[in-house]
């Protein structure tokens, strides 16, 4: 599936997902800044692709890395961390977290764990690869 967050703090820009916590207007290490997307059914997740928005942000020295995300899968009411990725913005790029084996889940949660600068801290694009459990 594909979920696009035009601006993470604008719920009308979220398609097929639920926004759990407002993200944006600067990174705050003292507050969890996250987005939770719930699936329409149970999915065996094999990979998660993430990209951050390249707008008004400050980059690391490499010019394409903005920060980092922790990635959790939701099963019932339990969130399990499955890995971490860098927040990247390069054109047609991003970061993919590939799982060693498929994990059954009902949603995915992305938590911003670090960010450069005091501008927007965001998740722009999320794609989850896998198969629907029938």
């Amino acid at each position: 599936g594909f979920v696009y967050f035009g601006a993470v703090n604008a719920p009308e820009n979220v398609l097929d997902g639920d926004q759990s916590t407002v993200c944006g207007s600067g990174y705050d290490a003292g507050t969890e800044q996250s987005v939770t997307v719930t699936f329409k059914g149970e999915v065996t997740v094999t990979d998660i692709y993430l990209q951050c928005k390249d707008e008004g942000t400050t980059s690391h020295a490499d010019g394409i890395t903005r920060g980092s995300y922790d990635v959790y899968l939701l099963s019932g009411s339990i969130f399990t961390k499955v890995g971490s990725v860098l927040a990247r913005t390069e054109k047609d790029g991003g970061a993919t977290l590939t799982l060693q084996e498929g994990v059954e889940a009902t949603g995915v949660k992305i938590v911003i764990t670090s960010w450069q600068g005091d501008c927007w801290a965001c998740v722009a694009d999320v794609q989850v690869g896998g198969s629907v459990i029938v």
Side-chain angles (χ1 to χ4, degrees), residues 11 15 59-60 79 86 89 91 95 104 106 114 116 118 125:
L15 305 177
S59 66
H60 284 267
F79 287 97
L86 293 176
T89 64
K91 185 175 179 183
E104 293 181 6
T106 55
S114 70
Q116 291 294 301
D118 57 1
D125 296 335

Side-chain angles (χ1 to χ4, degrees), residues 45-120:
V45 176
T46 56
D47 56 88
I48 302 117
Y49 166 86
L50 298 168
Q51 187 178 35
C52 67
K53 190 172 179 135
D54 188 11
E55 182 177 313
T57 55
T58 303
S59 66
H60 284 267
D62 64 13
I64 57 173
T65 305
R66 302 298 188 243
S68 57
Y69 304 128
D70 280 349
V71 182
Y72 296 80
L73 288 177
L74 173 64
S75 180
S77 61
I78 299 172
F79 287 97
T80 303
K81 184 177 174 182
V82 292
S84 301
V85 295
L86 293 176
R88 301 172 67 91
T89 64
E90 72 271 30
K91 185 175 179 183
D92 300 323
T96 299
L97 176 63
T98 302
L99 306 179
Q100 290 185 348
E101 59 183 51
V103 176
E104 293 181 6
T106 55
V108 62
K109 178 178 181 179
I110 300 101
V111 179
I112 300 172
T113 52
S114 70
W115 207 260
Q116 291 294 301
D118 57 1
C119 297
W120 288 90

